[in-house]
Amino acid sequence: MNENLLTVNEPARTVPVRLETDVLVVGGGPSGITAALAAAEDGLNVTLIDSRSFLGGNMTIGLPILGFLGQKGNQIIKGIPQKFIDRLATQDAASEHRPCPLHMSLTLVEQEAVKNTALDMLTEAGVNVLLYVFFADVVMDGDKLRGVVIESKSGREAILAKTVIDCSGDADVAFKAGVPCEQGNETGGAQPPTLMFCLAGVDTDKLRMSIAQEPRTYLTDFIPAEYFGQNHQFIVVGMRNLMQQAREAGFDLPVERTILITGLRKGEVWVNMTRINGVDGTNPSSLSHGEIEGRRQVVEIQKYLTAYVPGFENAYFAKMAPFLGIRETRRIVGQYVMTKEDILSCGRFEDAVAVASYPLDIHHPQGGGCTLEWCGDCYDIPYRSLVPQKVENLLVAGRCISTTHEAMSAIRVMAPCMAMGEAAGRAAKIAVRAGVAPSQIDVKQLQEELLATGAYLRPAPVQEMQEA
């Protein structure tokens, strides 16, 4: 039965206002955490809401943070994102930023420590954190966003705010507010999600030395064999020949490449090999199918690893990510739409508020393949791509900013999302202090504040020539 054929009439109701705040951040992932910290820095009343019992978003599913370093090896994400990593490092819960031939850089983090550290830093900053609440709707006054409606065990309530930052990853607030949004490629196909899982008892030294000493047997994509001889913690991408052998033996594997990421704890390896094509990350039925199919795939992948990949002979299942890793859902149409050409040409913008270097990384909506393209250096993310069309008092940060399908594949990883969050939080603070909409702030003032507080923006080309 088509569920869209049935409707019910919901009676009008009076919704109580739970609280009023200066800045409301919707979503407690990488961009939301940094947005709230930035907005609260000089004492504004800031609230962050999330539907889960913890904060951290994709930092809690077993992935390393990609993108702190640029393609030339320099650090391009600093400021509050770096402070967060520094705080984790004091607990031995984060690695240094490690250059990677394929992903530019890896920063390993301990998932449970991320949850605690995020809460610690936000509460210390005076941010009002409200968990276990679902964003449900918006409160509009013409084209101005006045707040949101939430649902929880307490029922339906409103939160009013002078500025709202949508860090939902799915443009939930923007979509409900009437901001034009796009989803997927030209035919609607989106990058498929992955359900991460962790195996323990892995002999990671045996794995890395097998690759270093027998590179033709354990072929890796783009990553030279000597990399594994030098690094005790690493990422493996490739081993297509082993996977072919497994397929010929009857294994059903959903991807073309073996993707393994060592954890911070000895013997732990996170596996990025499930792939559930056709999942719509904005549809609960589709997400439920994704969870069921992802867990089915995990069983087969674990069997493949223990049978074919050196070091996994005695590996055992340790834990599963708490939710699907979604790569792509909605993207807003903002004042500027970033394109593939902006990425590959190392685009510069006068209103740059963050710098990224991660390549175009498109996991194909069909099949198990992936395409990567590098620009050779880094590129700017303009403020206008965080500012939606048609709706005032709203900013967007994270993977759902204004980009094309192709450009989104580059800016979607966590370090750039954290940098965008900081920019959005500081912009919201400036807007509230000045009594203007975020679309009307002085971007030069925002850039000066970002630089003054430790963020990285590229100097003008003339300055670069003089420095060279």
Side-chain angles (χ1 to χ4, degrees):
M1 182 178 66
N2 186 339
E3 61 186 4
N4 293 325
L5 294 178
L6 297 175
T7 62
V8 297
N9 292 322
E10 200 174 18
R13 67 178 86 178
T14 299
V15 177
V17 175
R18 171 174 278 269
L19 60 90
E20 296 183 59
T21 189
D22 292 320
V23 177
L24 172 65
V25 180
V26 178
S31 61
I33 292 167
T34 52
L37 289 170
E41 201 167 69
D42 70 352
L44 279 185
N45 187 329
V46 177
T47 299
L48 182 150
I49 65 171
D50 197 277
S51 61
R52 299 185 175 99
S53 64
F54 57 88
L55 301 178
N58 280 350
M59 279 192 282
T60 69
I61 68 173
L63 289 168
I65 300 176
L66 305 179
F68 270 96
L69 303 183
Q71 291 175 35
K72 292 188 174 180
N74 57 317
Q75 185 169 345
I76 56 169
I77 307 291
K78 299 182 179 180
I80 291 175
Q82 181 59 49
K83 291 177 181 177
F84 189 82
I85 298 300
D86 290 342
R87 185 72 169 261
L88 288 171
T90 64
Q91 310 160 55
D92 294 323
S95 72
E96 70 277 13
H97 307 309
R98 295 177 176 163
C100 174
L102 183 62
H103 299 97
M104 304 308 101
S105 71
L106 306 172
T107 309
L108 306 177
V109 294
E110 179 56 46
Q111 297 74 38
E112 295 304 319
V114 164
K115 299 174 185 178
N116 293 338
T117 299
L119 283 171
D120 288 345
M121 292 181 71
L122 287 163
T123 53
E124 288 166 13
V127 175
N128 176 31
V129 177
L130 190 61
L131 303 174
Y132 296 103
V133 297
F134 287 86
F135 163 77
D137 210 340
V138 291
V139 179
M140 299 295 295
D141 180 7
D143 65 351
K144 294 182 175 60
L145 178 62
R146 296 302 189 193
V148 306
V149 177
I150 59 172
E151 289 271 9
S152 72
K153 297 284 188 181
S154 295
R156 198 169 174 91
E157 301 170 302
I159 298 176
L160 303 182
K162 296 172 183 174
T163 298
V164 177
I165 308 175
D166 185 345
C167 295
S168 65
D170 304 312
D172 288 337
V173 181
F175 179 73
K176 284 279 191 179
V179 175
C181 292
E182 297 176 343
Q183 190 163 340
N185 59 19
E186 64 278 359
T187 61
Q191 296 191 65
T194 290
L195 183 61
M196 299 284 294
F197 68 100
C198 179
L199 297 179
V202 180
D203 186 342
T204 55
D205 283 334
K206 181 177 180 180
L207 171 62
R208 71 184 182 88
M209 294 312 297
S210 296
I211 298 170
Q213 294 169 1
E214 298 288 344
R216 282 180 286 185
T217 303
Y218 307 109
L219 212 56
T220 58
D221 291 11
F222 303 102
I223 303 177
E226 55 267 24
Y227 166 83
F228 297 97
Q230 300 162 0
N231 292 276
H232 288 271
Q233 292 171 324
F234 50 86
I235 185 168
V236 175
V237 180
M239 295 187 167
R240 297 169 190 259
N241 50 347
L242 295 186
M243 296 187 75
Q244 182 59 34
Q245 293 174 31
R247 286 195 173 94
E248 290 171 357
F251 283 81
D252 178 18
L253 301 174
V255 289
E256 295 179 352
R257 306 174 300 171
T258 299
I259 305 178
L260 309 169
I261 305 143
T262 57
L264 284 173
R265 294 176 180 169
K266 185 176 176 58
E268 280 193 352
V269 171
W270 284 90
V271 183
N272 183 356
M273 290 180 63
T274 66
R275 173 174 295 207
I276 309 97
N277 291 335
V279 170
D280 178 353
T282 65
N283 182 313
S285 296
S286 190
L287 286 166
S288 298
H289 160 72
E291 290 282 352
I292 294 166
E293 173 61 17
R295 290 168 189 270
R296 185 197 69 78
Q297 292 178 10
V298 164
V299 176
E300 190 81 345
I301 292 166
Q302 182 177 351
K303 289 179 181 177
Y304 151 70
L305 292 171
T306 54
Y308 286 88
V309 179
F312 281 82
E313 294 84 357
N314 299 309
Y316 56 92
F317 182 86
K319 50 193 167 185
M320 189 89 71
F323 52 86
L324 279 171
I326 301 296
R327 291 186 173 91
E328 178 179 16
T329 54
R330 305 185 192 100
R331 310 179 307 274
I332 68 163
V333 179
Q335 293 185 352
Y336 181 82
V337 180
M338 287 188 71
T339 66
K340 173 181 179 179
E341 290 69 31
D342 290 329
I343 305 295
L344 294 181
S345 67
C346 299
R348 286 182 172 274
F349 296 96
E350 288 189 4
D351 62 336
V353 291
V355 179
S357 187
Y358 193 74
L360 296 170
D361 181 4
I362 300 178
H363 293 248
H364 300 161
Q366 301 298 325
C370 180
T371 301
L372 291 104
E373 291 183 76
W374 295 264
C375 69
D377 197 353
C378 51
Y379 46 87
D380 294 341
I381 296 175
Y383 181 66
R384 287 167 294 156
S385 292
L386 279 61
V387 181
Q389 293 183 12
K390 296 189 175 181
V391 174
E392 294 288 359
N393 300 340
L394 174 65
L395 287 168
V396 177
R399 68 170 183 250
C400 53
I401 66 166
S402 180
T403 65
T404 62
H405 166 75
E406 293 81 8
M408 193 282 306
S409 74
I411 60 89
R412 65 183 171 84
V413 296
M414 286 186 272
C417 287
M418 295 175 84
M420 287 183 248
E422 177 171 5
R426 295 194 183 284
K429 176 165 62 72
I430 290 170
V432 170
R433 293 295 188 199
V436 300
S439 62
Q440 302 302 313
I441 69 164
D442 180 353
V443 179
K444 292 295 183 188
Q445 180 186 352
L446 172 58
Q447 292 170 327
E448 289 169 1
E449 180 171 322
L450 285 165
L451 290 169
T453 52
Y456 175 82
L457 298 175
R458 288 194 287 178
V462 173
Q463 289 177 268
E464 286 184 341
M465 290 176 62
Q466 291 173 344
E467 289 170 2

